[in-house]
Structure formats: structure tokens, C-alpha cells
Amino acid sequence: RARVGRVTLHTLLDCLSRALHYVRFVAIASLSVQTFGAMADDAPSSPSVELDDCVASLVECVAMLAAGNTTGSTDEEEVAFSILGSWMKQLYTKKEAPLLAEDLMLRASVLGRLQELAVLSVSRPSLAIGVGQMMFLYFWWGVHPPPGGELGGQQPTVPCAYGLDLGVGLMALELHSISLSLAGCDNPATSSEEFDAKKCPWRWRFVLLFLAEVGRKLLVDKHDVIAGTRHLKLAKQRLASMKSLPFFASHQSLIHGPRWANQNDDYLPRARHWPVWPRDRWPSFAHFLEANAHVFLMDLLNLLQADEGDELFRTVQEQQTEFTPLPRHWGLLDLIRQGETTAACPYATASCDLLKTRPEINSQCFSERVPNAGIAFARLWPGTEIKPHFATEPRLAVHLGLITPLGPTMIVGDEKVTWSAGQAVVFDDTFVHSVRHDGAEPRFVLLAWTCHPCDPVWRAGLGPEWAHENPLPEWCDSMQQ
């Protein structure tokens, strides 16, 4: 086996398989399950058969568990979310066949059950957000996800379809709208404390996400101008309702339209926020990455050479929820995670030595407030896409192009991004963003999730010397300009 230093690929794979069994679930799950506050892991640690039985009689099961406070909550909405999250997580991550990501009969059966629960949610609205989120997390492409990014003979196949399954999208939109009313998120009289506790900003952004994507699907793919235009108009009407609520009154970004809704506005309402940051506003970390691009590229090439069987990226790809049609289509190999270097660093020693002291991504950033701070090599296979999603922490994302073939593009808010080798892209990933790869070769970037340069909580912990060298940008308080 190839060696780097004294660590073999076998050793590294073993470390990753043990250390990453939960980390990749943080990715999209942190945008949904963790954000909602009812972690899927909070549901009873029952065998799969007991979860199946509970989901088969979900209304009765939820009522019983909520009444008995079995999960630590008496809120039926949270209990239902936890049960459904645990059920879907078990189905998606199990190693033995049939696999939910690939077996069409299993996918059809599970989606069918979720659709039955969606109909039930009209009379039992406490089920709505859980069912709607499971559709978002696991069935964005419906039962038949596009078969792009396959590796047979190292030649990608051409996907047969892209984008949201319209039936799933319409149903998930209705479910998220039901959850808004149930939680009082559309009521101006709801207190700010209750508005935040019920995760109302997060619910609102999912409604806007689905309205925009359903409208686009109808217009572009179905050529239904009337229905597509109606949904896009409804998105603007929903945005107007958002802006009338006290919580969103100071959110400056919303004046630009539904696609400018972003979570950083919640944490930093006085700051300017851009989907893609202009170079003259970049934090110093982005310039640092560009200055050392040759180091990161060399470590990536050495790692790929050592990983001839593609075991390494395949191992970490198995830890993800459905960001892409199949887990193997997109992989993140962490270098810094949860404030510490990872088991991959012996393969990227020079990169980790440069990165581990940076307060934007290390333990000085990682916290309950920013639990996903870190940096990773990211690979995206051709012929696939990453569905629309958004982060929920006060942070920015930085991509450094390493291997950048023609074909991949990213949409952030309403701006389009492409990558070039050795060049950085700074964007606000609390805006809705998505990626599509129409090329023929895999794309590799160094992907960082950094603390936001305007975040006073993060800045307060860095000391006066750092603050002197990194003064607060003037656009962090744009209301005084």
C-alpha cells in the first residue's frame, strides 16, 4: 500500500470510518434536523422494526410519546420530527441491501408512506414539518434520481434529468406552509422569543426555497408559463408578508427579492450581505488561501495518487445525506473539523500545518454557534448536481479552485459562479445555493466554512492584537454609512 510518512491508507480509512460515522450527517442535517432543535438522535434508540411500527401508526405513536415525555419533549411536532428523522437516517445509512439511495422499490415504498403522511398532515399539522423535511432531505429528485456521476470505466454518464421532482416539491411546499401557520410564524403578534424558539426564520426560508424552485421547474422544464409565473409571484407575496413581521423589519437584504433571503441577516442585521462577495470586501483568509494554492494542490495530488482505488473519498461520501442524487457523487475530505486536524492530515501535512493556526476555521471559530467551521478537499463528479440548500450559522464559505475543468457552475442567491485553478470564491452560504456539473471531469476545490468577519461573538475571543491587525470592516455596520 502507498505510504505517506508512517501512516498507511488502510490506517487512514479505519480512522475515518470510525471518526466520521456521524460527521457528514451534520452537513444537510445541520441545516434541518439540528436547526429545528429536535435531533433525530433524540428519538428512542429503538431497533429498526420498532421505528417502522411507530411510523406505520405515527399519529398514535407521537401522541403516546409526547404524553409520556419519553423523548424529553411534550411537543408533538418535535416528537414527530425526531421519529421520522431517526427512521429515515436508519434507512439511508444501513450497509446491507436494499439501499435507500439506490433501490427504486424501496424508494417508492418509503416515499409512498411519506405521501400518505403528507395527506394526513392537513388534519394533523404537527406532522407537516417532519414529513416535509424528510422529502427535502431524501427525495428531492423523487423516486428516480438522475443517474449522473457514475464511475464505470471512469466515464461519467449523462443525467436524464436535473432539478426538483415537481410532485415532491409541490407537496413539500404545502407542508412547510402548514408548519408556518401552526408555529405562529405568520402572526405579527408572536413574540420574538417564541419566533426564534419555533425556528420561524428557518421555516420561512424553506417556503421561499420551494416556491422559487417549483416556479423554475414549471417555467424551464415544464414550459408552464402560467403556473410557473404564479408561483414566482407567490414567492414575492410571501416575501412581503415576511417583511411585515417585526423579526424581519431590519433585514436589508430582503429588498432585493426572495433569492436574497439569508440567515446571516438574522445574526448581523446591521451588516451588508452579498451572495458572492466582491474581491475588495474579502476577508484576509481568502487571500491567504490564494497565496498558498500551490501547497494545497500538491497535497491533493499526492493524496489522489496514494488513493489509487478511490477508497478514501468513497468512505467519506457514504456519510452524507442526499446532497446529490447518489452519495458517491460528492465527497468532502476534512482537514480541519470541530476545531482539530483530522486523520487525513498525514496525507496533507503541509496544508494542515498552514491551516491549523487560522482562527477563521480552527477551535477559535468552532463552537455551538458555528458547529460546522472547518476546511476540506471537495470532489464533485461530472454529470450530477448539488440540490439547493442553505446554512444556518453566522459564517461565510470560501472555495479555492484546485482542479477546475469546464462544466461546473454554482448559483448563490441570484448570482452565477464558476471556478478557476488557484483562485478563490467567497460566498455567503446562508443564501440558497446549488451546483450543477455539465462537464466531463471531476472538480476539486478546497472548501472552507469560516466564522463571519462581522461576528462580534467570534471577534471578542481573538484578543486585542488580532483585532488591531484585523479591524472591523466598515460595512459591518452599514446603517451608519
Coordinates of all heavy atoms in Angstrom, one line a residue, residues 31-77:
L31 N -28.6 21.7 8.6 CA -29.5 22.7 8.0 C -30.9 22.4 8.4 O -31.8 23.3 8.2 CB -29.3 22.7 6.5 CG -27.9 22.6 5.9 CD1 -27.9 22.7 4.4 CD2 -27.1 23.8 6.5
S32 N -31.2 21.3 8.9 CA -32.6 20.9 9.0 C -32.9 20.3 10.4 O -33.5 20.9 11.3 CB -33.0 19.8 8.0 OG -32.7 20.4 6.7
V33 N -32.4 19.1 10.7 CA -32.7 18.4 11.9 C -32.2 19.2 13.1 O -32.9 19.5 14.0 CB -32.1 17.0 11.9 CG1 -32.5 16.2 13.2 CG2 -32.7 16.2 10.7
Q34 N -30.9 19.5 13.1 CA -30.3 20.2 14.2 C -30.9 21.6 14.3 O -31.2 22.1 15.4 CB -28.8 20.4 14.1 CG -28.1 19.1 14.4 CD -26.6 19.3 14.4 OE1 -26.0 20.0 13.6 NE2 -25.9 18.7 15.3
T35 N -31.1 22.3 13.2 CA -31.7 23.6 13.2 C -33.1 23.6 13.8 O -33.4 24.5 14.6 CB -31.8 24.1 11.7 OG1 -30.5 24.2 11.2 CG2 -32.4 25.5 11.7
F36 N -33.9 22.6 13.5 CA -35.2 22.6 14.1 C -35.2 22.4 15.6 O -36.1 22.8 16.3 CB -36.0 21.4 13.4 CG -37.4 21.4 13.9 CD1 -38.3 22.4 13.5 CD2 -37.9 20.4 14.7 CE1 -39.6 22.3 13.9 CE2 -39.2 20.3 15.1 CZ -40.1 21.3 14.7
G37 N -34.1 21.8 16.1 CA -34.0 21.6 17.5 C -34.3 20.3 18.0 O -34.1 19.9 19.2
A38 N -35.0 19.4 17.2 CA -35.4 18.1 17.7 C -34.5 17.1 16.9 O -34.9 16.7 15.8 CB -36.9 17.8 17.4
M39 N -33.3 16.9 17.5 CA -32.4 16.0 16.8 C -33.0 14.6 16.5 O -33.7 14.1 17.4 CB -31.1 15.8 17.6 CG -30.3 17.0 17.7 SD -29.4 17.2 16.1 CE -28.3 15.8 16.2
A40 N -32.7 14.1 15.4 CA -33.2 12.7 15.1 C -32.7 11.7 16.1 O -33.4 10.8 16.4 CB -32.8 12.3 13.7
D41 N -31.5 12.0 16.6 CA -31.0 11.1 17.6 C -31.7 11.1 18.9 O -31.4 10.3 19.8 CB -29.5 11.4 17.8 CG -28.7 11.0 16.6 OD1 -29.1 10.2 15.8 OD2 -27.6 11.6 16.4
D42 N -32.6 12.1 19.1 CA -33.3 12.2 20.4 C -34.5 11.2 20.4 O -35.0 11.0 21.5 CB -33.9 13.6 20.6 CG -32.8 14.6 20.9 OD1 -31.7 14.2 21.3 OD2 -33.0 15.8 20.7
A43 N -34.8 10.6 19.3 CA -35.9 9.7 19.3 C -35.4 8.4 20.0 O -34.3 8.2 20.2 CB -36.3 9.3 17.9
P44 N -36.4 7.6 20.5 CA -36.0 6.4 21.2 C -35.0 5.6 20.4 O -35.2 5.4 19.2 CB -37.3 5.6 21.4 CG -38.4 6.7 21.3 CD -37.8 7.7 20.3
S45 N -33.9 5.1 21.0 CA -32.9 4.3 20.3 C -33.5 2.9 20.1 O -33.0 1.9 20.7 CB -31.6 4.2 21.1 OG -31.9 3.8 22.4
S46 N -34.5 2.8 19.3 CA -35.2 1.5 19.1 C -34.6 0.8 17.9 O -34.1 1.4 17.0 CB -36.7 1.8 18.9 OG -37.3 2.6 19.8
P47 N -34.8 -0.6 17.9 CA -34.5 -1.3 16.7 C -35.3 -0.8 15.5 O -36.4 -0.2 15.7 CB -34.8 -2.7 17.1 CG -34.8 -2.8 18.6 CD -35.3 -1.4 19.0
S48 N -34.8 -1.1 14.3 CA -35.5 -0.6 13.1 C -36.9 -1.0 13.1 O -37.8 -0.3 12.7 CB -34.7 -1.1 11.9 OG -35.4 -0.7 10.7
V49 N -37.2 -2.3 13.5 CA -38.6 -2.8 13.4 C -39.5 -2.0 14.3 O -40.6 -1.7 13.9 CB -38.6 -4.3 13.8 CG1 -38.2 -4.5 15.2 CG2 -40.0 -4.8 13.5
E50 N -39.0 -1.5 15.4 CA -39.9 -0.7 16.3 C -40.1 0.7 15.7 O -41.2 1.2 15.8 CB -39.2 -0.6 17.7 CG -39.2 -1.9 18.4 CD -38.7 -1.7 19.8 OE1 -38.7 -0.6 20.3 OE2 -38.3 -2.7 20.5
L51 N -39.1 1.3 15.0 CA -39.3 2.5 14.4 C -40.3 2.4 13.2 O -41.2 3.2 13.0 CB -38.0 3.1 13.8 CG -37.2 3.9 14.8 CD1 -35.8 4.3 14.1 CD2 -37.9 5.2 15.1
D52 N -40.2 1.3 12.5 CA -41.1 1.0 11.4 C -42.6 0.9 11.9 O -43.5 1.5 11.3 CB -40.8 -0.3 10.7 CG -39.5 -0.2 9.9 OD1 -39.1 0.9 9.6 OD2 -39.0 -1.3 9.5
D53 N -42.7 0.3 13.0 CA -44.1 0.1 13.6 C -44.6 1.5 14.1 O -45.8 1.8 13.9 CB -44.0 -0.8 14.8 CG -43.8 -2.3 14.4 OD1 -44.0 -2.6 13.3 OD2 -43.4 -3.1 15.3
C54 N -43.7 2.3 14.6 CA -44.1 3.7 15.1 C -44.5 4.5 13.9 O -45.5 5.2 14.0 CB -42.9 4.3 15.8 SG -43.4 5.9 16.6
V55 N -43.7 4.5 12.8 CA -44.1 5.3 11.6 C -45.4 4.8 11.0 O -46.2 5.6 10.5 CB -42.9 5.2 10.6 CG1 -43.3 5.9 9.3 CG2 -41.7 5.9 11.2
A56 N -45.6 3.5 11.0 CA -46.8 2.9 10.5 C -48.1 3.4 11.2 O -49.2 3.5 10.6 CB -46.8 1.4 10.5
S57 N -47.9 3.7 12.5 CA -49.0 4.3 13.3 C -48.6 5.6 13.9 O -48.6 5.8 15.1 CB -49.5 3.3 14.4 OG -49.9 2.1 13.8
L58 N -48.1 6.5 13.1 CA -47.4 7.7 13.6 C -48.2 8.6 14.5 O -47.7 9.0 15.5 CB -46.9 8.5 12.4 CG -45.9 9.6 12.7 CD1 -44.6 9.1 13.4 CD2 -45.5 10.4 11.5
V59 N -49.5 8.8 14.1 CA -50.3 9.7 15.0 C -50.4 9.2 16.4 O -50.2 9.9 17.4 CB -51.7 9.9 14.4 CG1 -52.6 10.6 15.3 CG2 -51.6 10.6 13.0
E60 N -50.7 7.9 16.5 CA -50.8 7.3 17.9 C -49.5 7.2 18.6 O -49.4 7.5 19.8 CB -51.4 5.9 17.7 CG -52.8 5.8 17.2 CD -52.9 5.9 15.7 OE1 -51.8 6.0 15.0 OE2 -54.0 6.0 15.1
C61 N -48.4 6.9 17.8 CA -47.1 6.8 18.4 C -46.6 8.2 19.0 O -46.1 8.3 20.1 CB -46.1 6.2 17.4 SG -44.5 5.8 18.1
V62 N -46.8 9.2 18.2 CA -46.4 10.5 18.6 C -47.2 11.0 19.8 O -46.6 11.5 20.8 CB -46.6 11.5 17.4 CG1 -46.5 13.0 17.9 CG2 -45.6 11.3 16.3
A63 N -48.5 10.8 19.8 CA -49.3 11.2 20.9 C -48.9 10.5 22.2 O -48.8 11.1 23.3 CB -50.8 10.9 20.6
M64 N -48.6 9.2 22.1 CA -48.2 8.4 23.3 C -46.8 8.9 23.8 O -46.7 9.1 25.0 CB -48.1 6.9 22.9 CG -47.6 6.0 24.1 SD -47.4 4.3 23.6 CE -46.0 4.5 22.5
L65 N -45.9 9.1 22.9 CA -44.5 9.5 23.3 C -44.6 11.0 23.9 O -43.9 11.3 24.9 CB -43.6 9.5 22.2 CG -43.2 8.0 21.7 CD1 -42.4 8.1 20.4 CD2 -42.5 7.3 22.8
A66 N -45.3 11.8 23.3 CA -45.4 13.2 23.8 C -46.1 13.2 25.2 O -45.6 13.9 26.1 CB -46.2 14.1 22.8
A67 N -47.1 12.5 25.3 CA -47.8 12.4 26.6 C -47.0 11.9 27.7 O -47.0 12.3 28.9 CB -49.1 11.6 26.5
G68 N -46.1 10.9 27.3 CA -45.3 10.3 28.3 C -43.9 10.9 28.5 O -43.1 10.5 29.3
N69 N -43.7 12.0 27.7 CA -42.4 12.7 27.7 C -41.2 11.8 27.5 O -40.2 12.0 28.1 CB -42.3 13.5 29.1 CG -41.2 14.6 29.0 OD1 -40.9 15.1 27.9 ND2 -40.6 14.9 30.1
T70 N -41.4 10.8 26.7 CA -40.4 9.8 26.5 C -39.2 10.3 25.8 O -38.0 9.9 26.1 CB -41.0 8.6 25.7 OG1 -42.2 8.2 26.3 CG2 -40.0 7.4 25.6
T71 N -39.3 11.3 24.9 CA -38.2 11.8 24.2 C -37.6 13.1 24.8 O -36.8 13.7 24.2 CB -38.6 12.1 22.7 OG1 -39.6 13.1 22.7 CG2 -39.1 10.8 22.0
G72 N -38.1 13.5 25.9 CA -37.7 14.7 26.5 C -38.5 15.9 26.0 O -38.2 17.1 26.3
S73 N -39.5 15.7 25.2 CA -40.4 16.8 24.8 C -41.8 16.4 24.8 O -42.2 15.2 24.5 CB -40.0 17.2 23.3 OG -40.9 18.1 22.8
T74 N -42.7 17.3 25.1 CA -44.1 17.1 25.0 C -44.7 17.8 23.8 O -45.9 17.7 23.6 CB -44.8 17.7 26.3 OG1 -44.5 19.1 26.4 CG2 -44.3 17.0 27.5
D75 N -43.9 18.3 22.9 CA -44.4 19.0 21.7 C -44.5 17.9 20.6 O -43.5 17.3 20.2 CB -43.4 20.1 21.3 CG -43.8 20.9 20.1 OD1 -44.3 20.3 19.1 OD2 -43.8 22.1 20.2
E76 N -45.7 17.7 20.1 CA -45.9 16.6 19.2 C -45.2 16.9 17.9 O -44.7 16.0 17.2 CB -47.4 16.5 18.9 CG -48.2 15.9 20.0 CD -49.6 15.4 19.5 OE1 -49.9 15.6 18.3 OE2 -50.3 14.8 20.4
E77 N -45.0 18.2 17.5 CA -44.3 18.5 16.3 C -42.8 18.0 16.4 O -42.3 17.4 15.5 CB -44.3 20.0 16.0 CG -43.8 20.4 14.7 CD -43.9 21.9 14.4 OE1 -43.5 22.6 15.3 OE2 -44.3 22.3 13.3

